[in-house]
Amino acid sequence: MSINRRDFLKKAGVITALGLGGAITLDAFEVLEPLKAADFTSPEDLTGKRWALVIDMSKLTQTDIDEVIASCHDLHNVPDMGNPKDEIKWIWTDTYEHVFPGIENHYLDETTEKMPFLTLCNHCDKPPCVRVCPTKATFRREDGVVGMDMHRCIGCRFCMAACPYGARSFNYWDPTPHIKEINPDYPRRSKGVVEKCNLCMDRIDQGLEPACVEKSKGAIVFGNLSDPDSAVRKLLSSNFSIRRKPELGTQPSVYYLIGGEERA
């Protein structure tokens, strides 16, 4: 993306003003508007692609879940703050009643009720977080991935308020001292920045699957929703699946299969 010096200074001025608590005006949004989601999309032809995940909970043991979370967090330099209050999470677990609050069942079987559901950003087709971000730090790519340019984030936390899934975390403290082993191939964040799962979009652009998929031993399937012959479409057409809060109209691209073989 090319930009001249004058436009760069205008953009920098707006972002600085927003970061210092300046008024957010229509002019501010107009200055930042030239940045498009396509600017973050791989140059390869992605027409017709809509990436999605299908998570088969029946195939995940607690050991599998721990390995999936560790692989994601290690790869992306996600810090371990050591307490729930300041927790930074890209992928985590929660109970059925919290993950699917709109699907009430007073007679739910005990196994499902206590199951640790893997939870992450839903990479919505209509993501509310993208609409509220004043600096375009949050964006939706042409292939459906909702990513973040964390260097543009000013920490306003509008996206956190807009996300109905609690999929975003805020760095109240410098995360660097809380990273056990830094991965030099992935950018680190600073204090005052929001972060979340980006579906390993850098890996996707290299023709690789997301780290969670690779580590899940087949329990998490990645593929193109737009392709009727893809693995995800075949799973969804032959199994009953549920999504988180579909009634909101955000169109999540993460699907869950709950039935199946007994977990180990």
Side-chain angles (χ1 to χ4, degrees):
M1 178 179 63
S2 61
I3 181 172
N4 60 41
R5 183 173 181 274
R6 181 179 179 183
D7 287 341
F8 172 80
L9 292 174
K10 284 171 68 179
K11 289 177 185 286
V14 170
I15 294 172
T16 301
L18 292 171
L20 294 175
I24 300 177
T25 66
L26 181 60
D27 289 341
F29 284 98
E30 289 175 347
V31 168
L32 291 166
E33 185 58 31
L35 186 62
K36 304 293 184 183
D39 294 326
F40 296 90
T41 300
S42 168
E44 296 180 9
D45 183 13
L46 294 174
T47 303
K49 287 188 171 63
R50 173 72 173 92
W51 299 123
L53 296 178
V54 177
I55 303 176
D56 188 344
M57 292 303 304
S58 71
K59 294 182 177 179
L60 284 169
T61 66
Q62 186 60 57
T63 300
D64 296 332
I65 289 172
D66 292 342
E67 290 180 355
V68 164
I69 294 174
S71 67
C72 170
H73 287 191
D74 290 347
L75 177 65
H76 298 106
N77 290 323
V78 178
D80 180 3
M81 294 301 188
N83 68 84
K85 178 177 177 292
D86 300 320
E87 182 182 20
I88 307 295
K89 55 194 180 185
W90 281 41
I91 183 168
W92 68 102
T93 60
D94 210 336
T95 60
Y96 178 93
E97 65 175 338
H98 291 143
V99 176
F100 307 106
I103 309 177
E104 295 185 5
N105 183 350
H106 297 295
Y107 306 102
L108 190 68
D109 67 279
E110 186 176 357
T111 300
T112 302
E113 185 178 18
K114 295 182 177 180
M115 188 185 298
F117 280 85
L118 269 179
T119 313
L120 64 158
C121 172
N122 282 276
H123 298 278
C124 304
D125 206 26
K126 299 178 180 178
C129 56
V130 172
R131 294 198 297 272
V132 302
C133 180
T135 63
K136 310 298 182 184
T138 297
F139 53 90
R140 182 183 180 278
R141 303 202 320 177
E142 306 255 343
D143 57 2
V145 175
V146 177
M148 276 199 70
D149 179 352
M150 287 170 284
H151 297 294
R152 289 178 65 89
C153 178
I154 59 172
C156 68
R157 288 175 279 174
F158 289 177
C159 59
M160 294 181 70
C163 176
Y165 305 104
R168 292 169 171 269
S169 303
F170 184 72
N171 285 287
Y172 288 96
W173 316 104
D174 178 9
T176 302
H178 304 279
I179 302 173
K180 183 166 57 176
E181 186 174 345
I182 293 173
N183 174 13
D185 297 326
Y186 197 82
R188 283 174 282 164
R189 278 71 78 192
S190 61
K191 176 181 176 182
V193 169
V194 176
E195 57 180 286
K196 71 169 194 73
C197 158
N198 63 11
L199 204 60
C200 289
M201 60 185 187
D202 52 328
R203 287 175 58 89
I204 292 175
D205 291 344
Q206 298 172 49
L208 303 172
E209 293 184 325
C212 59
V213 177
E214 188 176 89
K215 204 70 175 180
S216 71
K217 303 174 184 175
I220 306 176
V221 178
F222 171 75
N224 181 13
L225 270 183
S226 299
D227 179 5
D229 294 322
S230 67
V232 291
R233 282 288 296 275
K234 288 180 178 179
L235 276 174
L236 295 176
S237 65
S238 59
N239 295 274
F240 175 73
S241 62
I242 57 177
R243 292 184 292 175
R244 299 190 66 196
K245 302 181 181 179
E247 67 276 8
L248 299 180
T250 60
Q251 293 296 322
S253 67
V254 178
Y255 295 77
Y256 292 85
L257 308 182
I258 297 178
E261 299 174 358
E262 195 71 23
R263 283 170 296 278

